[in-house]
Amino acid sequence: MPTALIADDERLMRDQLKLRLSQVWPELEIIAEAKNGEEAISQTLAHRPDFAFLDIRMPGLTGLEAAQAISQFTHIVFVTAYDQYAVEAFEHGAIDYVLKPADPERLALTAERLKKRLASPPNDMQALIARIAQQVTQKPAYLQWIQASMGQELRLIPVEEVLFFQSDEKYTRVQTKNYEALIRKPVRDLLEELNPDLFWQIHRATLVNSKAIEGVVKDIRGRLLVKVSGLSEKLEVSRSFTHLFKQM
């Protein structure tokens, strides 16, 4: 029976990938999981899985750094939300990849490719991993998905569907066209992970999707308010960020 390890710092992503793999490749046994690169290395050395599904970006040692340490022991499959890195690996044919969130149809193709590699030893991929690692440091890779709470449910929300983020002292509200959810990550941390061309900071506690801005109005106190497409709610612009709307 073929075996695999899954390494991702987000439990929801690990659970989703396990579920999808069980659907497209029931014979594959997930014998270990890891939350970071260090755990991926130790679990691989302990269990020697046939395949290691490694998230490229993890805290501590990354998936790339883990891959450099274990690629001689197991076939590497990169899991990533950033397509440019995955395509580089896939085109060279040495490493397969899974894009987050895992698509069943694409994952089925990955499974077929991996089955053919079971009889062969892992390829020498040090040079290719080094090239991908260089890409990661040179190209900014922005957050593509938000893991948010809706009541007792955890939901994956595509970043481009978010109209705005707004923080209070404890939570950050994630507002889409059809619903709102909550995350614990504050706006100051989101600023480092979101594409600044897409999300504009208009207040200390507010980020708005620039594509969702319908217009800007002034209230009777002279404050600028952003009108968001599809919502009646308006977002206040603090004085520090009024320069963003001078051309409007």
Side-chain angles (χ1 to χ4, degrees), residues 215-220 222-227 234-235 237:
V216 181
V217 296
K218 279 188 178 182
D219 66 7
I220 58 174
R223 298 178 305 172
L224 283 184
L225 302 175
V226 168
K227 297 171 63 179
K234 297 181 179 65
L235 305 175
V237 181

Side-chain angles (χ1 to χ4, degrees), residues 40 59 62 68 78-79 86 92-93 100 107-108 126 151 160 174 202 223 228 230 234:
T62 67
Q68 288 177 315
F78 281 137
V79 182
H92 283 81
K100 294 182 181 182
L107 197 57
Q126 295 300 315
E160 65 268 17
V174 182
I202 61 170
R223 298 178 305 172
V228 180
K234 297 181 179 65

Side-chain angles (χ1 to χ4, degrees), residues 11-199:
R11 180 187 58 80
L12 185 63
M13 288 296 187
R14 296 198 306 272
D15 291 346
Q16 188 207 53
L17 183 55
K18 279 196 298 184
L19 175 62
R20 294 281 191 262
L21 283 168
S22 70
Q23 294 168 342
V24 302
W25 195 358
E27 298 81 14
L28 182 67
E29 181 183 4
I30 308 302
I31 58 172
E33 294 184 40
K35 300 187 296 293
N36 52 53
E38 291 92 340
E39 288 186 7
I41 293 171
S42 63
Q43 294 281 13
T44 297
L45 296 179
H47 298 285
R48 297 298 176 101
D50 296 307
F51 305 100
F53 291 81
L54 304 176
D55 184 18
I56 284 183
R57 291 182 176 271
M58 290 187 288
L61 285 183
T62 67
L64 288 165
E65 291 168 324
Q68 288 177 315
I70 63 175
S71 61
Q72 68 267 41
F73 304 116
T74 182
H75 295 279
I76 300 296
V77 184
F78 281 137
V79 182
T80 176
Y82 310 110
D83 199 24
Q84 68 263 34
Y85 313 141
V87 170
E88 168 78 9
F90 185 64
E91 286 179 347
H92 283 81
I95 309 173
D96 213 321
Y97 70 95
V98 176
L99 285 178
K100 294 182 181 182
D103 174 73
E105 186 174 342
R106 174 65 184 84
L107 197 57
L109 292 176
T110 297
E112 291 306 312
R113 284 167 56 90
L114 296 180
K115 289 174 186 178
K116 295 176 182 178
R117 297 186 181 187
L118 267 173
S120 305
N123 293 325
D124 180 2
M125 300 179 301
Q126 295 300 315
L128 176 57
I129 293 170
R131 283 201 299 273
I132 299 173
Q134 187 176 25
Q135 281 187 304
V136 171
T137 58
Q138 289 179 346
K139 298 180 181 180
Y142 300 116
L143 197 64
Q144 303 293 311
W145 297 85
I146 296 291
Q147 180 179 315
S149 298
M150 292 183 65
Q152 299 301 310
E153 177 188 359
L154 279 175
R155 177 172 292 200
L156 284 175
I157 304 172
V159 162
E160 65 268 17
E161 292 184 7
V162 178
L163 300 179
F164 64 84
F165 297 93
Q166 195 165 58
S167 292
D168 59 21
E169 293 181 359
K170 191 173 182 181
Y171 295 102
T172 295
R173 173 184 168 194
V174 182
Q175 182 67 55
T176 73
K177 182 179 180 181
N178 298 315
Y179 55 85
E180 68 174 62
L182 297 174
I183 59 175
R184 290 186 178 272
K185 184 174 294 187
V187 159
R188 65 175 179 273
D189 291 347
L190 287 168
L191 271 172
E192 298 177 2
E193 301 180 7
L194 294 168
N195 184 345
D197 293 328
L198 180 60
F199 282 91

